[in-house]
Amino acid sequence: MEKVLIIGSGAAGCAAALSLSEAGVPVLMIEKAKEIGGKTAAYGCKAGDSCTQCGVCLTGPLFTQIKEASNLEILCETSLKELIREENGFTAILENVGEKLEVKVSQILVASGFSHLPVGDSGNLRISGTSAILYGEQLESLLKKRTSDKVFDVAPKNVGFVFCFGSRNPAHGVSYCSKVCCGYSTRSAKALKSIYPDAKIRMFFMDLQSVKAGNYLEEMRNAGFEMIRCRPSRIEASEHGAQVYWEDKEGIHKKELDLCVLCGGIRPNEDNTLLAELMGLSVNEDGFLETVLASEQTGVWTAGCAQGPMTIAETVADARVKAARIIQRLKKEVSA
Ligand code: SF4
Ligand code: SF4
């Protein structure tokens, strides 16, 4: 049997690769970066006083098991350069650390994930003269390294989370909701509160997506978080770090913070246009990948956040479903 080519080794790529390899389907997984794991490999546990169901636990075992899986070859620092459709599959031309490789594959699963707004990009905010800002993914890395009593070198006294950073703003070219940032920001806030119980933590939010059953807004308020419904417009340097400004019908408001977390969301992978061209996929109005014809017909599949914002749990589930459908399709081919 020819291999299934998986493009991307994040949560979606690894979940699909494991399911295929467990079913005896040979897999070649390629990854542009030097290491497998994608973005989620750098995410930290967001347990506060108890587990907050952030989903990061789902990925740890995947990244370990994948290294021991049979029928599975992983090539890092590798990207797809050309794809030639054949009668029974494809010839893929890959570039691995400057060298060209040619492989025959039966099916292709695109699990190329997403991008963040780059650190330093001020997105929909006016930001001036302050270093008291952390991007969501930077806080993730700090949470990954945290000890039982420390995330930062200096204990923060006033922390603010600015929701919808780089999302839900047609003026900035992104009108969709990223779906995941309400969850990771409120969970991160709970983790910080458990380590720094005296810190005042404010959430500047426009809308709160469903994170768990029940009245989550009320739960956050009862847990001691100040929930301020607004859309901040600027952040300026202040004596203690940063001042966050927003405006409503009562006028201009500001709050003093010594740490401000910008809760960035999920942006399309910058390679999506190229991948779509190579594989006969389309790019939707938000920049994510879509199949044009049924994957059972074309042999080209998509999984995870390459298709749009998804939580970790949704990503892993989607990848397993796609792997199951690929297995079914291959079984049909064998029995035909
Ligand atoms: S908070 Fe997340 S990483 Fe931590 S134990 Fe719960 S699910 Fe796992
Ligand atoms: S998930 Fe929440 S923070 Fe993220 S874009 Fe949607 S509403 Fe805004």
Side-chain angles (χ1 to χ4, degrees):
M1 191 189 291
E2 302 287 11
K3 291 169 182 166
V4 171
L5 175 65
I6 298 183
I7 299 173
S9 70
C14 286
L18 267 182
S19 295
L20 290 166
S21 116
E22 281 162 15
V25 176
V27 175
L28 169 61
M29 184 164 71
I30 62 170
E31 167 59 52
K32 256 174 76 172
K34 285 190 172 165
E35 308 249 346
I36 64 159
K39 293 187 179 53
T40 41
Y43 292 175
C45 169
K46 291 166 209 70
D49 297 326
S50 59
C51 169
T52 55
Q53 305 287 330
C54 76
V56 170
C57 277
L58 291 171
T59 60
L62 280 183
F63 301 142
T64 314
Q65 288 162 16
I66 202 85
K67 292 181 179 152
E68 288 147 21
S70 52
N71 300 313
L72 175 64
E73 188 185 351
I74 302 172
L75 286 177
C76 290
E77 297 185 81
T78 303
S79 46
L80 177 69
K81 291 292 161 199
E82 206 182 329
L83 191 67
I84 302 151
R85 194 172 281 275
E86 314 275 5
E87 200 181 333
N88 288 316
F90 307 86
T91 297
I93 314 292
L94 309 175
E95 190 173 289
N96 170 245
V97 205
E99 263 187 46
K100 287 255 159 50
L101 302 175
E102 193 177 301
V103 283
K104 297 264 184 222
V105 297
S106 59
Q107 307 277 308
I108 301 174
L109 177 72
V110 186
S112 48
F114 64 97
S115 299
H116 289 302
L117 206 61
V119 166
D121 191 322
S122 56
N124 42 19
L125 280 167
R126 280 186 288 145
I127 300 175
S128 52
T130 179
S131 57
I133 284 182
L134 265 186
Y135 286 69
E137 63 272 27
Q138 293 177 312
L139 179 58
E140 288 280 6
S141 302
L142 291 170
L143 287 171
K144 189 168 177 89
K145 289 184 258 171
R146 71 164 155 158
T147 59
S148 57
D149 62 352
K150 192 171 157 184
V151 177
F152 309 107
D153 291 338
V154 179
K157 294 193 180 75
N158 277 292
V159 182
F161 285 78
V162 174
F163 284 38
C164 303
F165 174 66
S167 299
R168 300 186 70 154
N169 190 342
H172 198 66
V174 184
S175 51
Y176 59 86
C177 165
S178 282
K179 269 181 78 179
V180 299
C181 15
C182 280
Y184 84 70
S185 51
T186 51
R187 289 176 172 118
S188 300
K190 287 178 180 177
L192 293 186
K193 192 81 180 159
S194 72
I195 294 176
Y196 304 108
D198 297 332
K200 177 85 189 163
I201 302 184
R202 298 184 171 95
M203 316 301 277
F204 301 96
F205 76 108
M206 289 203 311
D207 195 5
L208 195 59
Q209 294 302 313
S210 164
V211 175
K212 60 187 281 218
N215 188 334
Y216 195 53
L217 181 56
E218 209 48 40
E219 181 187 315
M220 290 296 291
R221 286 194 169 125
N222 291 340
F225 299 98
E226 189 178 347
M227 305 297 288
I228 304 173
R229 195 183 284 271
C230 67
R231 174 149 222 166
S233 54
R234 72 189 149 108
I235 302 173
E236 280 180 2
S238 69
E239 192 189 341
H240 299 290
Q243 269 180 341
V244 174
Y245 291 80
W246 73 96
E247 197 172 350
D248 60 19
K249 56 182 187 301
E250 281 151 25
I252 294 174
H253 307 265
K254 64 179 179 184
K255 287 282 183 198
E256 181 80 35
L257 304 173
D258 50 16
L259 182 64
C260 180
V261 182
L262 302 179
C263 307
I266 286 181
R267 317 276 290 203
N269 186 317
E270 53 275 3
D271 290 342
N272 279 358
T273 304
L274 178 67
L275 289 169
E277 273 172 24
L278 284 172
M279 273 172 280
L281 297 167
S282 73
V283 174
N284 69 18
E285 60 180 16
D286 294 327
F288 295 100
L289 292 175
E290 280 181 353
T291 50
V292 180
L293 298 168
S295 300
E296 276 83 359
Q297 209 176 320
T298 61
V300 178
W301 307 75
T302 50
C305 289
Q307 310 158 103
M310 283 187 194
T311 63
I312 295 173
E314 287 168 342
T315 297
V316 170
D318 179 57
R320 288 187 174 140
V321 167
K322 299 296 166 52
R325 285 172 58 191
I326 292 173
I327 293 163
Q328 215 171 26
R329 154 89 201 245
L330 292 173
K331 276 186 184 160
K332 264 192 197 159
E333 262 177 29
V334 170
S335 61

